[in-house]
């Protein structure tokens, strides 16, 4: 465990160095957050039927999605590891006295948590604390309706990070089975963004497709934790959320381990 802990700390510290990129990302996510909020306000002002979320819940959902977009959404696999696989230098990782999947999963976990410090915390600070002071309280991110809702969100968010790391591993390992890995790393994140609620909150989808979207692992990344935060899901729904996330974490980790094992057995490293 000490080896994995040291790897996580070192990788986390390395990722914290990209502060200029993070600052640009914060500005970008705030811009798109305002666009989403304005679209939601226009939608609710012209809606003639009862909606599955209130405007304040939908605004909170949008801001939380912008804040945690880099932490929760697995945009790509670990590029460094994919380059090692492509070049054959992955042989050095195979010689380490550690489990290869656990070693790479620890890197993925650091890659998913570092954006919380660099991007999520500044965005949450602006939307929860600064916006109400500027007279835009209607566009701000409201605090959870109760302490129980905050605890439920926190626990579900931890599981979402683990689920995102497991999905990141699938993208990383795909490099063992393709020449460049760009196809999978381009298509898979698009599917995740659509099915997780990042574009449109899942409660607004047609009723006929909701059971499928709720059953897929992607709802456990974004939709369910964010709805716990806003109060759209009651805190007593936490157990079902954790069961859903835990099931998919186990399935994806086992599948990832299988791919790593098969990939190592078929891997051919050329050169000295």
């Amino acid at each position: 465990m000490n080896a994995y802990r040291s790897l996580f700390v070192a990788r986390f510290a390395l990722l914290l160095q990209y502060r200029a990129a993070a600052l640009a990302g914060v500005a970008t996510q705030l811009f798109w957050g305002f666009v989403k909020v304005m679209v939601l306000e226009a939608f609710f002002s012209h809606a003639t039927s009862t909606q599955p979320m209130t405007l304040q819940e939908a605004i909170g959902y949008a801001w939380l999605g912008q804040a945690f977009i880099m932490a929760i959404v697995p945009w790509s696999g670990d590029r460094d590891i994919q380059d090692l696989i492509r070049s054959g230098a992955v042989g050095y990782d195979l010689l380490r006295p550690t489990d290869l999947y656990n070693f790479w999963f620890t890197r993925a976990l650091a890659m998913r948590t570092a954006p919380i410090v660099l991007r999520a915390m500044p965005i949450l600070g602006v939307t929860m604390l600064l916006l109400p002071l500027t007279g835009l309280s209607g566009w701000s991110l409201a605090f959870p309706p109760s302490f129980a809702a905050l605890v439920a969100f926190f626990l579900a968010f931890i599981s979402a990070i683990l689920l995102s790391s497991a999905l990141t591993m699938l993208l990383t390992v795909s490099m063992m089975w393709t020449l460049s890995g760009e196809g999978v790393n381009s298509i898979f994140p698009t599917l995740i963004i659509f099915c997780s609620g990042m574009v449109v909150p899942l409660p607004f989808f047609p009723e006929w497709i909701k059971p499928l979207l709720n059953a897929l692992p992607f709802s456990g990344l974004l939709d369910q934790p964010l709805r716990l935060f806003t109060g759209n899901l009651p805190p007593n729904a936490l157990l079902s959320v954790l069961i859903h996330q835990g099931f998919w974490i186990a399935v994806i980790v086992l599948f990832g381990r299988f791919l790593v094992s098969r990939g190592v057995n078929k891997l051919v490293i050329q050169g000295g």
Side-chain angles (χ1 to χ4, degrees):
M1 288 299 296
N2 288 333
Y4 301 122
R5 187 182 302 111
S6 299
L7 171 64
F8 176 85
V9 172
R11 184 65 178 167
F12 188 88
L14 177 64
L15 293 172
L16 290 182
Q17 296 180 10
Y18 301 100
R19 291 184 289 271
L23 182 60
V26 169
T28 301
Q29 299 314 132
L30 285 173
F31 171 79
W32 286 111
F34 280 113
V35 172
K36 286 186 175 183
V37 168
M38 288 187 284
V39 170
L40 288 170
E41 190 174 55
F43 170 76
F44 273 87
S45 64
H46 292 84
T48 58
S49 59
T50 304
Q51 301 302 318
M53 303 177 74
T54 66
L55 174 59
Q56 193 60 49
E57 289 172 351
I59 289 176
Y61 191 107
W63 279 127
L64 290 169
Q66 294 303 113
F68 297 114
I69 188 172
M70 297 304 296
I72 293 180
V73 178
W75 291 98
S76 66
D78 191 319
R79 297 292 187 180
D80 293 338
I81 295 177
Q82 290 179 328
D83 289 340
L84 293 178
I85 296 173
R86 186 183 293 110
S87 66
V90 69
Y92 293 108
D93 283 351
L94 297 175
L95 296 175
R96 299 180 191 276
T98 56
D99 180 87
L100 185 61
Y101 184 89
N102 290 342
F103 186 82
W104 288 354
F105 187 89
T106 303
R107 287 176 56 97
L109 192 60
M111 187 166 65
R112 298 273 70 89
T113 52
I116 297 175
V117 176
L118 292 175
R119 297 199 184 201
M121 292 180 65
I123 293 175
L124 292 178
V126 170
T127 55
M128 297 182 76
L129 302 177
L130 293 184
L131 281 185
L133 299 177
T134 62
L136 296 175
S137 57
W139 287 8
S140 63
L141 171 61
F143 285 89
S146 65
F147 180 73
L150 178 62
V151 173
F153 163 75
F154 181 74
L155 295 176
F157 182 76
I158 293 176
S159 293
I161 291 295
L162 295 175
L163 179 58
S164 179
S165 300
L167 290 169
T168 301
M169 276 296 299
L170 290 185
L171 294 173
T172 300
V173 178
S174 68
M175 190 63 226
M176 289 185 172
W177 306 87
T178 61
L179 294 177
S180 68
E182 294 303 323
V184 175
N185 282 271
S186 298
I187 297 175
F188 197 52
T190 303
L191 175 66
I192 293 174
I193 292 171
F194 181 78
C195 296
S196 66
M198 179 60 70
V199 178
V200 178
L202 296 191
F204 290 109
F205 276 79
E207 292 297 331
W208 62 269
I209 199 174
K210 282 184 182 179
L212 174 61
L213 294 176
N214 291 328
L216 290 174
F218 314 125
S219 64
L221 287 174
L222 192 78
D223 180 76
Q224 295 176 4
L226 301 196
R227 289 169 64 196
L228 286 170
F229 185 100
T230 60
N232 186 258
L233 275 181
N236 57 19
L238 174 64
L239 181 59
S240 62
V241 172
L242 293 179
I243 291 175
H244 173 265
Q245 292 172 319
F247 169 78
W248 281 111
I249 290 171
V251 169
I252 295 171
V253 167
L254 289 175
F255 184 55
R257 282 191 168 276
F258 169 76
L259 291 180
V260 169
S261 177
R262 287 292 302 273
V264 169
N265 290 333
K266 69 180 286 294
L267 185 65
V268 176
I269 300 176
Q270 301 181 5

